[in-house]
Amino acid sequence: MKKLTTTIRRGLHGQLHVPGDKSISHRSIIFGAISSGVTEVNNFLPSEDCLTTIQAFRDMGVVIERSSDHVRVHGTPNGLKLPRHPLNMGNSGTTTRLLLGLLSGQQFTTELFGDASLSRRPMRRVTEPLSQAGARFQVGEKGTLPITVFGQRNLKTLNYRLPVASAQVKSALILAALQTCGESTIIEKLQTRDHTERMLRAFGGEIYQHGRTIQVMGKPQLTGQNVTVPGDMSSAAFFLTAAALLPGSEVTLKNVGLNPTRTGFLDVLKRMGASVDVLNEKKQVEPSGDLRVRHAHLKAIHLSQEEIPSVIDELPLVALLATQAKGTTTITGAEELRVKETDRIAVVAEELTKLGARIEELPDGLIIHGQTALNPQMSDRVDTHGDHRIGMMLAVAALLCDNSLYLENEAAINISYPGFFDDLKQLCEEGTAER
Ligand code: S3P
């Protein structure tokens, strides 16, 4: 159990480099592994989820050297090797789904398993479209892990309209399509993060996008690259939220990824009336820039389906912001939140209610009534429920409380941000130091 910092009087101050982007870190290992030559990755995110991806590829014969946040991947373009034991996916949905796509076209049979949370998450959304292309799986009745993948060398090209807005599913299909002869077409329900498409192009693949239609050419010659991972917008979002909420704050987050499919949270902050400036923008494969945020008075907004994918992982923070905003905020069309590391609709409502927030659950979202002072009500305990993003959201919520608060199952935060509490402390201490 972790005692959370409360009673921040002067807000957050200073500047910080948040760790590398989780989605891009995973993909740098995957593309490095299937390309010829060496891929050098800088600012890799050494969190539990991304280390799961590294371990899985090492288990399949890929030589990967890592020193802190620098990774060197020695590509094996002629195919991965049969692992000696089932592959452990830990808590990582991204590793699992992307590997289901990649392994469906390899030359061996292997089994994937995960922890209790991952073993509840839906996998048929990936195995069904892949099966239409000739892939073979053994999936349990509930459509969850463990799954056996019977790799097939003769996968057919894909032609598939996605019924869910999911970058993981889209990426799995792209990775399968790369192993087929010819052109595959994937149509998204809504545009989701496009890190796979950008990285594939940078490694020499052919992939085209017209609106929500994606065309991928099979059997490309991919070549290892130098990848510099920008800071993770989803990690920056915790400090953006804290600084927006706490009077007196001014924080600058350096070199954060600004891929337009990931910046929905900045739009939400601005619409709520927050003061956010983008500085030193760099236009590159994955654009990045510095984000400066100051405290401001916030107002309620409505968020609907089209906007959800670009802010999907930040929705727990939108709920927290909304508790302090003037008016009633509604989030709809976000049913995907129910199948994340936890049911984030239920867990956000449960945990923020413990602090006195007025929140109603919808089947596909939340209604949050604003400007409620947060403080522990019946108990001084809140819980991550094993979900990293819930844990960090609650640590930010604690900064608004006067009374002590303790976080249970705090180790979950290592899934995406092992140094989170140190970084938060740094910004809080710069706020309390004589200025
Ligand atoms: C991710 C896609 C999203 C996101 C997850 C990472 C990715 O999941 O929530 O944290 O790296 O592709 P879905 O594809 O399930 O929406």
Side-chain angles (χ1 to χ4, degrees):
M1 199 158 49
K2 165 103 186 153
K3 186 169 198 286
L4 296 174
T5 305
T6 50
T7 339
I8 295 290
R9 296 279 176 232
R10 297 188 200 193
L12 272 69
H13 291 269
Q15 58 178 39
L16 189 74
H17 278 94
V18 293
D21 186 272
K22 181 155 89 69
S23 294
I24 300 174
S25 295
H26 282 300
R27 287 156 171 84
S28 68
I29 303 301
I30 298 175
F31 280 105
I34 61 174
S35 299
S36 61
V38 171
T39 288
E40 302 273 355
V41 190
N42 296 305
N43 202 35
F44 179 83
L45 170 67
S47 76
E48 284 179 7
D49 262 12
C50 298
L51 296 181
T52 291
T53 295
I54 288 190
Q55 189 55 49
F57 279 92
R58 281 183 175 153
D59 290 347
M60 293 187 288
V62 181
V63 175
I64 304 177
E65 301 161 78
R66 183 177 75 85
S67 157
S68 176
D69 65 358
H70 183 88
V71 180
R72 184 176 296 138
V73 186
H74 297 264
T76 53
N78 297 327
L80 301 165
K81 294 211 177 84
L82 169 71
R84 269 191 250 148
H85 47 74
L87 296 175
N88 187 353
M89 301 288 102
N91 188 252
S92 179
T94 306
T95 314
T96 310
R97 295 191 174 121
L98 271 57
L99 272 188
L100 286 171
L102 185 61
L103 296 182
S104 65
Q106 296 290 311
Q107 305 192 13
F108 51 81
T109 295
T110 188
E111 191 185 336
L112 308 186
F113 70 98
D115 71 8
S117 149
L118 184 60
S119 303
R120 284 192 292 270
R121 299 180 67 185
M123 296 298 159
R124 284 223 178 89
R125 50 179 58 198
V126 184
T127 56
E128 271 180 17
L130 290 173
S131 301
Q132 291 177 21
R136 285 183 53 225
F137 304 95
Q138 190 179 334
V139 188
E141 247 171 59
K142 291 191 176 144
T144 52
L145 290 181
I147 295 177
T148 304
V149 189
F150 303 94
Q152 303 294 310
R153 292 177 67 184
N154 299 315
L155 285 186
K156 294 184 291 233
T157 55
L158 289 104
N159 196 333
Y160 192 72
R161 183 182 287 273
L162 287 162
V164 285
S166 165
Q168 292 178 353
V169 180
K170 169 179 68 174
S171 302
L173 302 189
I174 292 173
L175 288 167
L178 294 180
Q179 301 171 81
T180 68
C181 291
E183 184 179 315
S184 292
T185 303
I186 300 157
I187 305 171
E188 289 204 86
K189 182 176 175 195
L190 296 168
Q191 156 114 65
T192 62
R193 62 188 69 190
D194 64 356
H195 304 301
T196 301
E197 295 90 312
R198 285 171 188 252
M199 200 175 284
L200 173 57
R201 224 171 270 129
F203 277 66
E206 268 186 81
I207 184 159
Y208 309 100
Q209 201 181 340
H210 320 274
R212 291 191 207 141
T213 304
I214 296 160
Q215 284 163 304
V216 200
M217 302 306 296
K219 308 267 181 201
Q221 300 272 324
L222 302 181
T223 312
Q225 300 291 315
N226 288 345
V227 177
T228 297
V229 182
D232 197 323
M233 170 64 78
S234 299
S235 298
F238 298 103
F239 306 117
L240 294 173
T241 302
L245 288 176
L246 288 155
S249 298
E250 179 174 332
V251 166
T252 302
L253 301 166
K254 305 289 287 178
N255 198 39
V256 179
L258 294 176
N259 177 320
T261 61
R262 290 286 298 283
T263 50
F265 189 62
L266 298 183
D267 302 332
V268 165
L269 279 173
K270 286 179 190 158
R271 269 165 57 203
M272 293 183 95
S275 158
V276 191
D277 298 304
V278 179
L279 312 163
N280 304 322
E281 238 176 300
K282 286 193 217 133
K283 301 217 182 317
Q284 48 204 6
V285 175
E286 288 286 355
S288 67
D290 301 343
L291 298 174
R292 186 178 60 203
V293 59
R294 301 188 176 106
H295 166 256
H297 295 288
L298 303 180
K299 57 179 189 296
I301 57 163
H302 300 289
L303 260 183
S304 53
Q305 198 184 39
E306 297 66 45
E307 304 169 83
I308 297 299
S310 68
V311 61
I312 184 78
D313 290 340
E314 291 72 69
L315 290 173
L317 289 169
V318 177
L320 174 61
L321 286 163
T323 66
Q324 305 305 302
K326 190 164 193 265
T328 296
T329 293
T330 54
I331 301 173
T332 57
E335 60 277 2
E336 276 296 303
L337 279 187
R338 294 213 180 264
V339 291
K340 294 294 176 189
E341 285 81 334
T342 55
D343 174 344
R344 286 189 179 152
I345 293 178
V347 170
V348 164
E350 180 184 335
E351 293 302 314
L352 287 178
T353 301
K354 287 185 188 167
L355 301 179
R358 289 173 299 141
I359 302 198
E360 295 163 49
E361 269 188 54
L362 299 170
D364 62 343
L366 291 162
I367 301 176
I368 307 112
H369 302 283
Q371 290 191 309
T372 312
L374 297 185
N375 235 336
Q377 307 287 305
M378 312 286 276
S379 141
D380 59 2
R381 308 266 164 97
V382 284
D383 196 337
T384 67
H385 296 247
D387 185 334
H388 54 129
R389 298 201 195 283
I390 297 294
M392 291 184 274
M393 181 276 284
L394 290 169
V396 176
L399 302 175
L400 301 170
C401 298
D402 286 328
N403 299 338
S404 304
L405 197 59
Y406 296 86
L407 181 65
E408 293 189 280
N409 298 309
E410 75 277 10
I413 289 172
N414 296 331
I415 296 290
S416 66
Y417 199 160
F420 171 74
F421 284 113
D422 291 340
D423 287 353
L424 180 63
K425 192 162 168 241
Q426 181 199 317
L427 296 179
C428 289
E429 281 176 356
E430 296 207 23
T432 48
E434 265 331 301
R435 293 158 47 73

